[in-house]
Amino acid sequence: MVFSTVITSSPQLHFPKTSFPIIQRAIRTCSASLSTTPQRISTSQFDLKTYWTTLIQEINHKLDEAIPVQYPQQIYEAMRYSVLAKGAKRSPPVMCVAACELFGGNRLAAFPTACALEMVHAASLIHDDLPCMDDDPSRRGQPSNHTMFGVDMAILAGDALFPLGFRHIVSHTPTDLVPQTRLLKVIAEIARAVGSTGMAAGQFLDLEGGLNGVDFVQEKKYGEMGECSAVCGGLLAGASDEEIQRLRRYGRAVGVLYQVVNDMLEAKTDKEINDKKKNKSKSYVAAYGVDKAMEVAEDLRAQAKKELDGLEEYGEKVVPLYSFVDYAADRGFSVGDQAQ
């Protein structure tokens, strides 16, 4: 349900030239050249790696403080194991902070929600990996939560992280920086994203098996977290309804793009698609092959940047969000504790 999986030894992927929207995606014949971007703010001077890794350090520190070990100790240890796991890119919280700062919000106002998003993110991963779901014994090269602590404790850890995230937003967001009405919208947005019409719906259809509903599964399991992260940042800063809708479409496209590229990289490195079992059964690579999945990835990249083009009035503040799009597609550097 996420867009922060660590990929190691990533080969280069070259995207074809495309211009199709992401809704009702058409699968086409590949062309050869890398697409070019229309007149946009240049991102060449922006150091995304430094921006990202600096935020990771701050977020990791705040997450460590937010989940101290207390009674019942084993539940908290299981919670910390997944939330503070090595190799986590912190994509949801970083996107939230970037979206908040885009509209003039204070970074301090965004950190509690950013941490909550990572808690929710970690909880979704814990539950995804369970034997009754995707049945994955490892995560980011380390044992999954249920492998370390048992299925019962993993379920409890995930269950505890969801409400902890909501409580953290309410108890730690500076009231002088964010009005309560905005916080209510943020909480409602997160609840929508993880609920029965969001990530849970994507997981439900994924469990059904087969390749029907690839778009739906990808957008719900992977797009929702990106969408929610960008929207929450905008809500905290008081973005307009139109701007929120742009962030919504942008975040969804980036979230799905990240996962599509993950699937292509695994295929390019000769990793068996089926070794991830059910959770890879409804990928574009499994459904259509690498070449046509590449077309979908370029469509998503174009869609995400198109939404940001409508925010050009904010000048260089939009550059981090543009840079995330290219990173999701190109993986030009390593983020987190593991090499990429």
Side-chain angles (χ1 to χ4, degrees):
M1 297 184 182
V2 297
F3 61 109
S4 66
T5 305
V6 172
I7 298 294
T8 59
S9 302
S10 302
Q12 284 294 105
L13 292 171
H14 301 283
F15 293 108
K17 186 180 293 184
T18 56
S19 59
F20 288 78
I22 68 170
I23 304 301
Q24 299 295 325
R25 298 188 186 94
I27 300 299
R28 299 162 281 107
T29 302
C30 278
S31 54
S33 61
L34 179 69
S35 63
T36 57
T37 304
Q39 291 293 327
R40 291 187 175 117
I41 297 170
S42 173
T43 62
S44 60
Q45 300 303 311
F46 179 69
D47 187 352
L48 177 62
K49 183 176 182 179
T50 298
Y51 177 85
W52 200 326
T53 53
T54 300
L55 276 175
I56 284 176
Q57 293 172 3
E58 294 182 79
I59 291 164
N60 284 348
H61 176 69
K62 293 182 181 299
L63 285 169
D64 185 37
E65 292 181 333
I67 314 176
V69 176
Q70 53 188 298
Y71 182 84
Q73 183 172 338
Q74 194 170 0
I75 294 179
Y76 280 93
E77 288 175 348
M79 293 162 67
R80 287 175 60 86
Y81 177 80
S82 290
V83 172
L84 302 176
K86 291 183 178 181
K89 286 183 170 63
R90 309 300 185 206
S91 301
V94 170
M95 184 177 287
C96 174
V97 171
C100 182
E101 291 183 327
L102 166 61
F103 299 103
N106 189 314
R107 182 174 292 191
L108 295 177
F111 275 140
T113 296
C115 288
L117 286 167
E118 192 63 27
M119 294 176 195
V120 168
H121 181 198
S124 73
L125 292 179
I126 292 172
H127 286 172
D128 267 8
D129 291 339
L130 290 171
C132 62
M133 294 292 176
D134 293 344
D135 192 16
D136 201 328
S138 64
R139 169 69 60 178
R140 302 188 185 104
Q142 300 296 320
S144 296
N145 196 289
H146 70 271
T147 304
M148 284 292 295
F149 298 93
V151 171
D152 51 356
M153 207 54 56
I155 293 173
L156 291 175
D159 287 348
L161 282 170
F162 283 116
L164 178 60
F166 293 127
R167 189 178 75 183
H168 192 75
I169 293 171
V170 174
S171 62
H172 285 74
T173 304
T175 55
D176 59 327
L177 296 178
V178 184
Q180 289 186 352
T181 52
R182 293 183 190 173
L183 287 187
L184 288 174
K185 291 180 180 179
V186 167
I187 291 171
E189 176 63 23
I190 297 174
R192 179 205 63 76
V194 302
S196 57
T197 61
M199 292 191 290
Q203 182 67 19
F204 164 75
L205 189 57
D206 203 19
L207 289 171
E208 293 291 286
L211 293 176
N212 293 326
V214 173
D215 285 348
F216 184 86
V217 170
Q218 292 284 308
E219 291 189 7
K220 292 299 181 180
K221 285 195 70 171
Y222 308 112
E224 285 284 358
M225 198 72 238
E227 175 181 340
C228 177
S229 302
V231 166
C232 284
L235 289 172
L236 289 167
S240 69
D241 290 345
E242 180 182 352
E243 291 166 340
I244 291 297
Q245 290 308 310
R246 286 195 175 277
L247 288 177
R248 191 174 295 287
R249 294 187 294 265
Y250 161 82
R252 186 187 313 140
V254 174
V256 179
L257 171 62
Y258 201 101
Q259 185 60 35
V260 172
V261 173
N262 277 356
D263 293 338
M264 289 192 293
L265 290 173
E266 289 178 357
K268 288 284 187 179
T269 54
D270 296 323
K271 187 171 183 177
E272 290 293 333
I273 294 173
N274 290 332
D275 71 353
K276 290 293 185 179
K277 298 182 181 180
K278 296 177 183 177
N279 67 318
K280 293 298 183 185
S281 65
K282 286 191 174 71
S283 72
Y284 289 107
V285 172
Y288 308 117
V290 172
D291 289 343
K292 292 178 182 178
M294 195 175 292
E295 298 170 10
V296 172
E298 184 61 12
D299 289 346
L300 290 161
R301 174 190 259 183
Q303 177 68 26
K305 290 192 174 184
K306 178 182 177 182
E307 298 303 335
L308 296 181
D309 290 345
L311 302 173
E312 59 185 5
E313 65 185 275
Y314 293 98
E316 293 186 354
K317 289 183 178 181
V318 77
V319 170
L321 295 183
Y322 271 121
S323 298
F324 292 155
V325 181
D326 289 330
Y327 175 80
D330 300 330
R331 313 299 167 91
F333 57 86
S334 300
V335 180
D337 296 322
Q338 295 184 22
Q340 190 157 289

